[in-house]
Amino acid sequence: AAIRAAQPQQDQCRRWQSTDCNHFVDSGKIEPPTSPPPPLLPRARPFRLAVKDNIATADFPTQCASRILLGHASPFEATIVRQLRARGAEVVGKTNMDEFGMGSHSTNSIHGPVRNPLSEPDDAISAGGSSGGSAVAVMLGDADVALGTDTGGSIRLPASYTGAIGYRPSYGMLSRFGVFPYANSLDTVGLIAREVRPILDLLVDTRLDEEHDPNDPTSLSSATRQRCARACPPTLHDNSQLTVGIPLEYNIAELDPAIRRTWAAAASALQSAGVNIVPVSLPSTKEALCAYYLLAAAEASSNLAKYDGVRYGVRGSRGDASGDTLYSETRGAGFGDEVKRRILLGTYSLSSEAMDNYFIQAQKVRRVIRRDFDRVFRLANPLYEPAQFDLSDMAADMALEDKRGPAQVDFLLSPTTPSFPPRLRDVLQKSSLDAYMNDVFTVPASLAGLPAVSLPARTGENRLPVGLQLIGQYWDDKRVLGMAERLK
Ligand code: GLN
């Protein structure tokens, strides 16, 4: 019953094609919308909103850039879309992405790759992924704000490649009801815009961060929200009272020298503006990428099991097939290669023979990563009690004590990506592993559930933008955004 054919409206489709960036999904409005719009909040101001194609909308199909969901129109709307409509949003279209959010260049899509508007005429470069269409939509002025999802960097990476602001909220802050899950323990829905202000306004002026959603079991309760908010300073102090940490492990050999210089220049500029800059060590950083790709694939393999041609998704071609044949035909034809790869990887890592060596180890790494972050931030993580007497933790702490220094920073500053946007034709030739490498700086904050923003560095040195990432303690989102505004 959830599947209705979407009727493309010709004028809508033409509008999207005019820019040749393939950032909007070529599917027209469904008429009439399936539910009445929510009443406007007192502080609502009209704005144009682009919505990633894995977020359910009443007036457009939601297909996750996947063949298996072709023609799928959701019978309900995502909470975040309704919340933004109540704040004045008009949905202008659905944006292109990597299928189910799996990818780093918005190339794994039935609609074809998204092209970065900063490309030279004959040499298309990556717009980043998986929310590439959302970032391009705001950078071309087709939308004022765009919704994306960030599991391991899918908002920050496209923001970095296109010069946008990309905000990944604290895990559990913004409702994911109506957002097609990829890896539940990592998924967040967040915002992309050209400037920080429209995003900050949604949080500060219209209190988007305060709304619990009973439909999303991972949405923090009102009581916990209040407790977390009390744990964070309400406003951003003067620069002289702020400390920004430079995580030394992010200075990897593969980091592009121009990006390294831009990062250092941004730190110097902050220092000149009175901010204290200190080096910090997050020793578990180098394990984060492996842990992420194990956990994300494991959760994805479980999430995507529902697309079996019976309950959800377009059914495989042979009408008389049943059972395993029906499933394999449906999935074989409906999923793209990268999605299949993740399902196989994830299923393997959850199998009894591999579970202990892969999945369980990755969970342990995840805990250590969170602990690393908690140690360097001045604020305590409001979700967890201060360290209990855990002997193995204490031994690890002692071994690393001289490397780390005391907990003291308000924010961490790093590049968002280790390299500039690659050419699309190179991306299409390279292996998936190369694409995974681009997430090396974004996945640690994802694993720890922390808020992070990518913003374009002020630099005259390069033709292409360099994204800088600010990470903050859990629920310190407004100060992270405030700091991003100061830095931009
Ligand atoms: N590139 C990462 C992946 O493919 C991140 C994706 C995301 O954040 N949705 O898993």
Side-chain angles (χ1 to χ4, degrees):
I3 303 182
R4 292 189 283 113
Q7 292 300 324
Q9 273 189 348
Q10 282 314 316
D11 56 341
Q12 205 90 24
C13 299
R14 266 201 300 275
R15 218 174 98 209
W16 307 151
Q17 280 155 10
S18 62
T19 54
D20 183 37
C21 279
N22 203 21
H23 53 303
F24 277 110
V25 170
D26 188 9
S27 59
K29 262 193 164 172
I30 305 165
E31 301 284 0
T34 44
S35 51
L40 284 181
L41 291 176
R43 310 207 55 170
R45 264 176 275 157
F47 65 97
R48 295 163 306 149
L49 178 72
V51 180
K52 189 175 177 181
D53 197 29
N54 60 350
I55 303 173
T57 41
D59 42 7
F60 290 89
T62 304
Q63 304 171 135
C64 301
S66 181
R67 180 158 288 117
I68 213 157
L69 279 172
L70 265 191
H72 174 76
S74 172
F76 57 85
E77 187 152 79
T79 301
I80 186 70
V81 175
R82 284 189 72 75
Q83 286 172 321
L84 294 182
R85 282 193 204 274
R87 288 161 171 81
E90 185 218 339
V91 177
V92 295
K94 300 301 277 284
T95 58
N96 200 356
M97 56 181 280
D98 285 300
E99 185 176 6
F100 286 106
M102 298 175 192
S104 303
H105 298 292
S106 298
T107 48
N108 305 327
S109 163
I110 40 159
H111 309 288
V114 177
R115 182 175 164 278
N116 191 327
L118 300 169
S119 306
E120 301 285 5
D122 297 322
D123 202 8
I125 56 171
S126 163
S130 61
S131 315
S134 288
V136 173
V138 298
M139 290 317 285
L140 286 177
D142 290 332
D144 302 307
V145 176
L147 276 173
T149 56
D150 189 310
T151 305
S154 278
I155 285 179
R156 290 163 283 162
L157 178 58
S160 169
Y161 281 180
T162 58
I165 303 288
Y167 161 55
R168 172 197 167 94
S170 293
Y171 179 83
M173 180 182 271
L174 301 185
S175 167
R176 285 175 1 210
F177 178 70
V179 179
F180 284 58
Y182 158 15
N184 300 48
S185 78
L186 296 151
D187 289 344
T188 58
V189 53
L191 300 157
I192 305 178
R194 279 182 302 277
E195 301 295 333
V196 180
R197 204 18 73 179
I199 300 175
L200 203 48
D201 282 350
L202 284 169
L203 263 66
V204 175
D205 277 13
T206 70
R207 305 178 166 200
L208 191 56
D209 57 325
E210 292 179 13
E211 287 184 18
H212 164 67
D213 179 12
N215 286 325
D216 173 1
T218 64
S219 168
L220 251 60
S221 70
S222 299
T224 310
R225 279 169 201 264
Q226 282 162 20
R227 186 166 58 76
C228 290
R230 277 197 302 274
C232 297
T235 50
L236 198 59
H237 293 110
D238 290 346
N239 281 349
S240 62
Q241 292 176 55
L242 293 174
T243 304
V244 169
I246 306 295
L248 296 176
E249 288 78 6
Y250 284 54
N251 187 14
I252 53 175
E254 296 83 357
L255 183 60
D256 188 293
I259 297 182
R260 184 179 291 120
R261 283 195 295 275
T262 307
W263 180 24
S268 305
L270 279 178
Q271 199 162 34
S272 311
V275 175
N276 306 304
I277 303 289
V278 296
V280 296
S281 181
L282 300 168
S284 56
T285 303
K286 53 189 176 307
E287 263 77 59
L289 199 61
C290 307
Y292 169 81
Y293 272 97
L294 261 157
L295 295 173
E299 293 187 32
S301 72
S302 154
N303 267 322
L304 299 189
K306 62 177 168 284
Y307 300 106
D308 54 12
V310 177
R311 289 165 297 175
Y312 293 90
V314 173
R315 183 165 293 192
S317 51
R318 262 182 41 206
D320 59 340
S322 62
D324 287 350
T325 319
L326 172 64
Y327 296 168
S328 67
E329 281 199 359
T330 299
R331 292 171 181 156
F335 288 136
D337 287 349
E338 185 58 30
V339 173
K340 288 180 190 158
R341 186 174 297 117
R342 307 285 178 107
I343 294 174
L344 288 174
L345 254 174
T347 308
Y348 174 70
S349 73
L350 290 173
S351 67
S352 57
E353 75 205 81
M355 180 92 168
D356 285 353
N357 275 342
Y358 294 99
F359 187 74
I360 302 289
Q361 292 301 326
Q363 294 284 30
K364 288 185 182 161
V365 167
R366 183 173 193 176
R367 184 159 149 261
V368 175
I369 288 169
R370 203 202 75 220
R371 215 191 53 198
D372 269 7
F373 279 118
D374 284 349
R375 186 174 290 101
V376 299
F377 283 122
R378 189 198 301 275
L379 298 177
N381 188 323
L383 285 188
Y384 302 98
E385 296 296 321
Q388 303 292 309
F389 291 106
D390 177 329
L391 286 181
S392 55
D393 275 7
M394 286 168 77
D397 285 357
M398 282 173 67
L400 291 160
E401 202 160 3
D402 45 338
K403 270 184 88 181
R404 282 185 176 146
Q408 55 182 345
V409 311
D410 296 279
F411 311 107
L412 294 165
L413 178 70
S414 77
T416 310
T417 57
S419 46
F420 287 98
R423 292 192 169 104
L424 279 183
R425 69 175 126 91
D426 292 342
V427 170
L428 297 172
Q429 272 165 17
K430 283 192 172 166
S431 75
S432 297
L433 262 177
D434 288 302
Y436 300 173
M437 257 305 291
N438 293 288
D439 302 329
V440 62
F441 297 150
T442 49
V443 295
S446 292
L447 287 164
L450 300 178
V453 175
S454 177
L455 64 141
R458 280 189 223 145
T459 165
E461 188 189 351
N462 313 293
R463 190 183 76 79
L464 293 169
V466 173
L468 294 175
Q469 174 175 233
L470 277 170
I471 306 173
Q473 181 52 292
Y474 189 76
W475 217 259
D476 205 10
D477 298 46
K478 284 185 269 200
R479 290 203 320 149
V480 174
L481 285 162
M483 192 66 200
E485 195 171 44
R486 247 179 229 183
L487 190 59
K488 189 167 184 252

